[in-house]
Amino acid sequence: MKKIFLFLCLLTASHYLFCQDAVKKIDSLLKSIYHNDEPGAGVAIQLNGKIIFQKSYGVSNLQTNEKNSTTGNFNIGSLTKQFTAFGILQLAEKNKLSLNDKLIKFFPDFNKKVGNWITIKELLTHSSGIIDHYAFVDTNIVKHATDKDVLAAVKNIDSTYFVPGTKYLYSNTAYCLLAMIIEKLSGISYADYIKKNIFRPLSMNHSQVLQIGQPIENRVYGYDTSQNNFKKLDADGSIFFSTEGDGGVYTSVSDYLKWFNSLQTGKLLSKGWIAKARSAEFPVDKKNNLSYGFGWFVNENNNDRQVYHAGSNGGFRAISFSIPSKNYLVVIFSNRTGLDLENIVQEINKILKVAGKSYTKI
């Protein structure tokens, strides 16, 4: 028994020293990327259900020189889609909709051909072929586009890019429409639904959906680096920054950890539905075993399914990479462009020796 006890002690000590060394290497890596006087990032890492790293870098506002923090609210771009998909699945679990329901059921004035063709599931998996809204929104009169503007722009279009359900084509339009379906069925705004049914129950107390004219708590500002300088770029400088269902969520890495752990435990939705959301529902790249679930990309290149998504909106970049079976998460919210977050995640995975074969970059 003494030998067994000694072995366990040595094993625990070895693991502790490995984690300490890995944390130092990760911190050194991030310091080499994000500089103190420039826009930076919030980063959090969880392994085997334990938070092993949570730190921020750089500044949140170049005008005030305020520093980033792990409680600062970044716009997370397309990571919003997992919250939108989750809202749809909550309504499905309550039998308020079926994933096989057609678009026309929720929008009776939608073009009949397209509305009777596209299903909710096809919207969720980017396999609907719905025409993008960008060229059809009247930017002469719309300063800050909303999901309602997206609906108005596409509802009379009588064609799709392809037969729904036959191909994959990433669609922000689809997720704006899903947000509108949430509003139709819940009777409240998308922002209020997410707050009431996700943020508040999880004590994500400072997270919110962008609504023009309303302040963002602990707000971080995004900066574009494409002109070799830092230019603030958010809703004030981009017409389509403000759509909600595809990219409207502002949250912090500390709040996002609460969200991830709720998915691991099934706190707000049954584990069966969560498993479907984080499973291969529609193929994206068969050669690399990459698929799309409901709000997540899913890579099955190895025994441990990898679930992840990147986000890009204005001057913000974000990425969430997870291996649910290992209770492993890397999340990076960055308030600057010009950096490859997927490469950073790959480097972190190598340091922690958790990911095995690298995931397929998207």
mmCIF file of all heavy atoms in Angstrom, residues 27 30-31 34 36 40-44 53-59 67-72 74 253 333:
data_model
loop_
_atom_site.group_PDB
_atom_site.id
_atom_site.type_symbol
_atom_site.label_atom_id
_atom_site.label_comp_id
_atom_site.label_asym_id
_atom_site.label_seq_id
_atom_site.Cartn_x
_atom_site.Cartn_y
_atom_site.Cartn_z
ATOM 1 N N ASP A 27 2.069 31.163 -21.573
ATOM 2 C CA ASP A 27 2.153 32.586 -21.255
ATOM 3 C C ASP A 27 3.241 33.264 -22.089
ATOM 4 O O ASP A 27 3.055 34.361 -22.618
ATOM 5 C CB ASP A 27 2.427 32.773 -19.761
ATOM 6 C CG ASP A 27 2.347 34.224 -19.325
ATOM 7 O OD1 ASP A 27 1.463 34.950 -19.826
ATOM 8 O OD2 ASP A 27 3.167 34.636 -18.483
ATOM 9 N N LEU A 30 2.027 33.673 -25.696
ATOM 10 C CA LEU A 30 1.034 34.740 -25.862
ATOM 11 C C LEU A 30 1.658 36.121 -25.684
ATOM 12 O O LEU A 30 1.281 37.073 -26.378
ATOM 13 C CB LEU A 30 -0.118 34.527 -24.891
ATOM 14 C CG LEU A 30 -0.953 33.266 -25.172
ATOM 15 C CD1 LEU A 30 -1.909 32.971 -24.034
ATOM 16 C CD2 LEU A 30 -1.717 33.410 -26.484
ATOM 17 N N LYS A 31 2.625 36.243 -24.795
ATOM 18 C CA LYS A 31 3.310 37.527 -24.621
ATOM 19 C C LYS A 31 4.106 37.912 -25.865
ATOM 20 O O LYS A 31 4.286 39.100 -26.153
ATOM 21 C CB LYS A 31 4.250 37.455 -23.412
ATOM 22 C CG LYS A 31 3.542 37.575 -22.067
ATOM 23 C CD LYS A 31 4.541 37.476 -20.921
ATOM 24 C CE LYS A 31 3.849 37.651 -19.577
ATOM 25 N NZ LYS A 31 4.792 37.476 -18.439
ATOM 26 N N TYR A 34 0.930 39.139 -28.267
ATOM 27 C CA TYR A 34 0.145 40.294 -27.831
ATOM 28 C C TYR A 34 1.007 41.210 -26.967
ATOM 29 O O TYR A 34 1.486 40.794 -25.908
ATOM 30 C CB TYR A 34 -1.081 39.829 -27.043
ATOM 31 C CG TYR A 34 -2.071 39.048 -27.868
ATOM 32 C CD1 TYR A 34 -2.241 37.674 -27.687
ATOM 33 C CD2 TYR A 34 -2.849 39.670 -28.837
ATOM 34 C CE1 TYR A 34 -3.160 36.954 -28.450
ATOM 35 C CE2 TYR A 34 -3.760 38.963 -29.604
ATOM 36 C CZ TYR A 34 -3.911 37.610 -29.404
ATOM 37 O OH TYR A 34 -4.814 36.898 -30.159
ATOM 38 N N ASN A 36 1.904 44.780 -24.735
ATOM 39 C CA ASN A 36 1.227 45.516 -23.669
ATOM 40 C C ASN A 36 0.512 46.770 -24.135
ATOM 41 O O ASN A 36 -0.533 47.137 -23.599
ATOM 42 C CB ASN A 36 2.221 45.893 -22.565
ATOM 43 C CG ASN A 36 2.650 44.692 -21.746
ATOM 44 O OD1 ASN A 36 1.921 43.713 -21.644
ATOM 45 N ND2 ASN A 36 3.849 44.756 -21.175
ATOM 46 N N GLY A 40 -5.214 43.418 -27.621
ATOM 47 C CA GLY A 40 -4.728 42.074 -27.312
ATOM 48 C C GLY A 40 -5.811 41.026 -27.257
ATOM 49 O O GLY A 40 -6.559 40.836 -28.216
ATOM 50 N N ALA A 41 -5.922 40.360 -26.101
ATOM 51 C CA ALA A 41 -6.826 39.207 -26.032
ATOM 52 C C ALA A 41 -7.117 38.818 -24.594
ATOM 53 O O ALA A 41 -6.372 39.156 -23.668
ATOM 54 C CB ALA A 41 -6.209 38.020 -26.766
ATOM 55 N N GLY A 42 -8.199 38.072 -24.446
ATOM 56 C CA GLY A 42 -8.478 37.323 -23.228
ATOM 57 C C GLY A 42 -8.376 35.852 -23.583
ATOM 58 O O GLY A 42 -8.857 35.432 -24.643
ATOM 59 N N VAL A 43 -7.742 35.064 -22.721
ATOM 60 C CA VAL A 43 -7.500 33.645 -23.019
ATOM 61 C C VAL A 43 -7.842 32.804 -21.800
ATOM 62 O O VAL A 43 -7.501 33.172 -20.670
ATOM 63 C CB VAL A 43 -6.021 33.398 -23.403
ATOM 64 C CG1 VAL A 43 -5.799 31.944 -23.781
ATOM 65 C CG2 VAL A 43 -5.585 34.331 -24.534
ATOM 66 N N ALA A 44 -8.510 31.695 -22.030
ATOM 67 C CA ALA A 44 -8.787 30.749 -20.946
ATOM 68 C C ALA A 44 -8.625 29.328 -21.462
ATOM 69 O O ALA A 44 -8.950 29.030 -22.615
ATOM 70 C CB ALA A 44 -10.199 30.946 -20.390
ATOM 71 N N PHE A 53 -5.573 27.897 -16.939
ATOM 72 C CA PHE A 53 -5.006 29.145 -17.456
ATOM 73 C C PHE A 53 -6.135 30.130 -17.703
ATOM 74 O O PHE A 53 -7.146 29.787 -18.328
ATOM 75 C CB PHE A 53 -4.254 28.879 -18.763
ATOM 76 C CG PHE A 53 -3.426 30.029 -19.262
ATOM 77 C CD1 PHE A 53 -2.091 30.139 -18.933
ATOM 78 C CD2 PHE A 53 -3.994 31.017 -20.066
ATOM 79 C CE1 PHE A 53 -1.315 31.191 -19.396
ATOM 80 C CE2 PHE A 53 -3.237 32.073 -20.531
ATOM 81 C CZ PHE A 53 -1.882 32.166 -20.193
ATOM 82 N N GLN A 54 -5.966 31.360 -17.234
ATOM 83 C CA GLN A 54 -6.948 32.418 -17.486
ATOM 84 C C GLN A 54 -6.211 33.754 -17.342
ATOM 85 O O GLN A 54 -5.814 34.136 -16.247
ATOM 86 C CB GLN A 54 -8.121 32.327 -16.501
ATOM 87 C CG GLN A 54 -9.293 33.199 -16.898
ATOM 88 C CD GLN A 54 -10.532 32.966 -16.055
ATOM 89 O OE1 GLN A 54 -11.590 33.512 -16.342
ATOM 90 N NE2 GLN A 54 -10.433 32.150 -15.028
ATOM 91 N N LYS A 55 -6.012 34.424 -18.468
ATOM 92 C CA LYS A 55 -5.192 35.630 -18.443
ATOM 93 C C LYS A 55 -5.563 36.543 -19.607
ATOM 94 O O LYS A 55 -6.103 36.086 -20.613
ATOM 95 C CB LYS A 55 -3.705 35.254 -18.511
ATOM 96 C CG LYS A 55 -2.759 36.373 -18.140
ATOM 97 C CD LYS A 55 -1.322 35.865 -17.993
ATOM 98 C CE LYS A 55 -0.398 37.018 -17.610
ATOM 99 N NZ LYS A 55 1.011 36.554 -17.430
ATOM 100 N N SER A 56 -5.254 37.827 -19.471
ATOM 101 C CA SER A 56 -5.520 38.783 -20.541
ATOM 102 C C SER A 56 -4.240 39.500 -20.937
ATOM 103 O O SER A 56 -3.274 39.557 -20.159
ATOM 104 C CB SER A 56 -6.577 39.804 -20.103
ATOM 105 O OG SER A 56 -6.136 40.529 -18.971
ATOM 106 N N TYR A 57 -4.260 40.063 -22.149
ATOM 107 C CA TYR A 57 -3.083 40.722 -22.716
ATOM 108 C C TYR A 57 -3.505 41.980 -23.462
ATOM 109 O O TYR A 57 -4.591 42.031 -24.056
ATOM 110 C CB TYR A 57 -2.354 39.777 -23.682
ATOM 111 C CG TYR A 57 -1.911 38.486 -23.037
ATOM 112 C CD1 TYR A 57 -2.784 37.406 -22.934
ATOM 113 C CD2 TYR A 57 -0.632 38.349 -22.503
ATOM 114 C CE1 TYR A 57 -2.399 36.228 -22.326
ATOM 115 C CE2 TYR A 57 -0.229 37.165 -21.895
ATOM 116 C CZ TYR A 57 -1.123 36.116 -21.806
ATOM 117 O OH TYR A 57 -0.735 34.944 -21.191
ATOM 118 N N GLY A 58 -2.633 42.989 -23.436
ATOM 119 C CA GLY A 58 -2.867 44.190 -24.218
ATOM 120 C C GLY A 58 -3.955 45.081 -23.659
ATOM 121 O O GLY A 58 -4.382 44.942 -22.503
ATOM 122 N N VAL A 59 -4.433 46.008 -24.498
ATOM 123 C CA VAL A 59 -5.398 47.016 -24.054
ATOM 124 C C VAL A 59 -6.760 46.808 -24.711
ATOM 125 O O VAL A 59 -6.863 46.298 -25.825
ATOM 126 C CB VAL A 59 -4.890 48.441 -24.348
ATOM 127 C CG1 VAL A 59 -3.619 48.737 -23.567
ATOM 128 C CG2 VAL A 59 -4.655 48.648 -25.838
ATOM 129 N N LYS A 67 -6.591 48.381 -19.773
ATOM 130 C CA LYS A 67 -6.076 47.051 -20.070
ATOM 131 C C LYS A 67 -7.209 46.043 -20.278
ATOM 132 O O LYS A 67 -8.299 46.182 -19.701
ATOM 133 C CB LYS A 67 -5.176 46.564 -18.929
ATOM 134 C CG LYS A 67 -3.955 47.444 -18.683
ATOM 135 C CD LYS A 67 -3.041 47.504 -19.894
ATOM 136 C CE LYS A 67 -1.800 48.348 -19.623
ATOM 137 N NZ LYS A 67 -0.940 48.481 -20.830
ATOM 138 N N ASN A 68 -6.938 45.053 -21.109
ATOM 139 C CA ASN A 68 -7.868 43.943 -21.251
ATOM 140 C C ASN A 68 -7.933 43.157 -19.948
ATOM 141 O O ASN A 68 -6.987 43.156 -19.156
ATOM 142 C CB ASN A 68 -7.442 43.005 -22.387
ATOM 143 C CG ASN A 68 -8.007 43.423 -23.726
ATOM 144 O OD1 ASN A 68 -9.140 43.876 -23.805
ATOM 145 N ND2 ASN A 68 -7.220 43.287 -24.785
ATOM 146 N N SER A 69 -9.056 42.475 -19.744
ATOM 147 C CA SER A 69 -9.215 41.617 -18.571
ATOM 148 C C SER A 69 -9.997 40.379 -18.964
ATOM 149 O O SER A 69 -10.628 40.335 -20.026
ATOM 150 C CB SER A 69 -9.951 42.360 -17.446
ATOM 151 O OG SER A 69 -11.325 42.513 -17.765
ATOM 152 N N THR A 70 -9.971 39.371 -18.127
ATOM 153 C CA THR A 70 -10.702 38.135 -18.424
ATOM 154 C C THR A 70 -12.208 38.312 -18.230
ATOM 155 O O THR A 70 -12.978 37.418 -18.582
ATOM 156 C CB THR A 70 -10.203 36.977 -17.539
ATOM 157 O OG1 THR A 70 -10.348 37.344 -16.167
ATOM 158 C CG2 THR A 70 -8.752 36.649 -17.847
ATOM 159 N N THR A 71 -12.623 39.461 -17.690
ATOM 160 C CA THR A 71 -14.052 39.764 -17.571
ATOM 161 C C THR A 71 -14.497 40.811 -18.584
ATOM 162 O O THR A 71 -15.656 41.222 -18.585
ATOM 163 C CB THR A 71 -14.392 40.252 -16.152
ATOM 164 O OG1 THR A 71 -13.605 41.410 -15.848
ATOM 165 C CG2 THR A 71 -14.127 39.173 -15.115
ATOM 166 N N GLY A 72 -13.579 41.239 -19.453
ATOM 167 C CA GLY A 72 -13.935 42.192 -20.491
ATOM 168 C C GLY A 72 -14.791 41.547 -21.567
ATOM 169 O O GLY A 72 -14.557 40.399 -21.956
ATOM 170 N N PHE A 74 -15.846 40.979 -25.172
ATOM 171 C CA PHE A 74 -15.443 41.029 -26.575
ATOM 172 C C PHE A 74 -16.642 40.640 -27.439
ATOM 173 O O PHE A 74 -17.441 39.777 -27.061
ATOM 174 C CB PHE A 74 -14.333 40.019 -26.858
ATOM 175 C CG PHE A 74 -13.023 40.285 -26.177
ATOM 176 C CD1 PHE A 74 -12.865 40.068 -24.813
ATOM 177 C CD2 PHE A 74 -11.927 40.731 -26.909
ATOM 178 C CE1 PHE A 74 -11.646 40.292 -24.188
ATOM 179 C CE2 PHE A 74 -10.702 40.952 -26.291
ATOM 180 C CZ PHE A 74 -10.559 40.735 -24.926
ATOM 181 N N VAL A 253 -14.070 35.766 -21.556
ATOM 182 C CA VAL A 253 -13.589 34.386 -21.455
ATOM 183 C C VAL A 253 -14.025 33.756 -20.137
ATOM 184 O O VAL A 253 -14.274 32.538 -20.075
ATOM 185 C CB VAL A 253 -12.057 34.291 -21.625
ATOM 186 C CG1 VAL A 253 -11.656 34.638 -23.050
ATOM 187 C CG2 VAL A 253 -11.303 35.143 -20.624
ATOM 188 N N PHE A 333 -10.393 35.292 -27.153
ATOM 189 C CA PHE A 333 -11.129 36.427 -27.684
ATOM 190 C C PHE A 333 -10.118 37.551 -27.902
ATOM 191 O O PHE A 333 -9.456 37.984 -26.953
ATOM 192 C CB PHE A 333 -12.215 36.899 -26.716
ATOM 193 C CG PHE A 333 -13.302 35.894 -26.456
ATOM 194 C CD1 PHE A 333 -14.081 35.976 -25.312
ATOM 195 C CD2 PHE A 333 -13.573 34.867 -27.351
ATOM 196 C CE1 PHE A 333 -15.090 35.056 -25.066
ATOM 197 C CE2 PHE A 333 -14.578 33.937 -27.119
ATOM 198 C CZ PHE A 333 -15.341 34.048 -25.971
#
